[in-house]
Structure formats: structure tokens, C-alpha cells
Amino acid sequence: MEPKAVHMTLGVLLGGLLALGVELILLLLGAMAISNGIVKQGAALQLTAAACVIGCLVGGRLACAWWPARRLLAGLAAGGVCFLLILAVGLLWGGELSLGLQALIELAGCLCGGAIAGLLCRGKNRRKKGGSRAR
């Protein structure tokens, strides 16, 4: 593997880990809000989806910073890594793999958050080579 590919892979892995950390913090805050009666108990799926989107947005931004080009792919990859980490933690915690509505919501949230990060970072570091164009 060439050093550039290692650098990009490390960026995706760190982005996925950061996304998982942000998600866990947001879910902890959401659980505290539910236990204090600020948020209804029926809003657990919405909190999960929001935590996935926001967490992967943050983690995807980190991954995009490590990639020189194709930042949408970097954001999506960070979201995918985060989802795989969620599945791994679920397997370690619960011992069984059940891919139901919850997993589908988490997958969609992770990929959407990563894609948003990639789209937001897409225009950065683009410089015009010939100066400004005359219109």
C-alpha cells in the first residue's frame, strides 16, 4: 500500500471512530432528556436517526480533511465504518445480529450524515489556476 492510501484509510477509520463517539454522546444526552421528561419516550427512533446523521456529519468532515479529492466518497466511507462499528458493538453487547427497522434507520442516518459531510467539503481547496475569468 502506498503512503497516500494509508493516509486516506486512516482518515476514514478516525472519522468513523469520531462519528461513533459523537453519536454515543448525543444518545446519552437524549436518554437523559427522556428520563427527565423533556422528550417523549416514543421519540427514541428519531433521536437515534438524528444522532447518526450528526455524528457521521462530524466524523465525515474529519475523513474529508484527510482526502485530497473525492470527498463525497470519504464521507460515505466514514459513515459506513461508523455503521459497521455500531453493528460490532451490538454484537459484542447483545450477542445476536438482528437487522430490523432500527438497523435500517442507523444505516440511512450514517450514510446521509457522511454524504452531507462530503458534499459540504467538496468545494474546499479548489483554486482557479488561471486567475479570475472575464465574463
Side-chain angles (χ1 to χ4, degrees):
M1 241 182 181
E2 64 183 67
K4 188 175 181 180
V6 172
H7 183 77
M8 292 164 57
T9 304
L10 184 61
V12 168
L13 291 175
L14 288 175
L17 284 172
L18 177 64
L20 182 64
V22 170
E23 285 179 32
L24 290 175
I25 290 170
L26 290 175
L27 288 173
L28 178 65
L29 292 173
M32 288 174 26
I34 288 174
S35 68
N36 288 328
I38 299 170
V39 178
K40 294 181 183 178
Q41 286 183 350
L45 283 177
Q46 289 87 349
L47 283 172
T48 301
C52 287
V53 170
I54 294 170
C56 288
L57 176 65
V58 173
R61 294 286 301 235
L62 176 69
C64 290
W66 287 57
W67 281 47
R70 297 188 181 181
R71 293 191 172 117
L72 178 61
L73 183 60
L76 286 171
V81 166
C82 182
F83 178 71
L84 291 176
L85 288 171
I86 291 170
L87 284 181
V89 168
L91 279 173
L92 290 174
W93 189 270
E96 66 181 56
L97 181 65
S98 62
L99 297 176
L101 180 63
Q102 180 85 20
L104 185 63
I105 288 172
E106 290 170 359
L107 175 63
C110 288
L111 292 179
C112 285
I116 291 169
L119 290 174
L120 290 176
C121 292
R122 195 177 71 159
K124 293 192 176 186
N125 291 338
R126 287 188 179 180
R127 296 200 173 132
K128 295 179 184 177
K129 292 183 180 179
S132 62
R133 286 192 213 176
R135 292 186 186 188

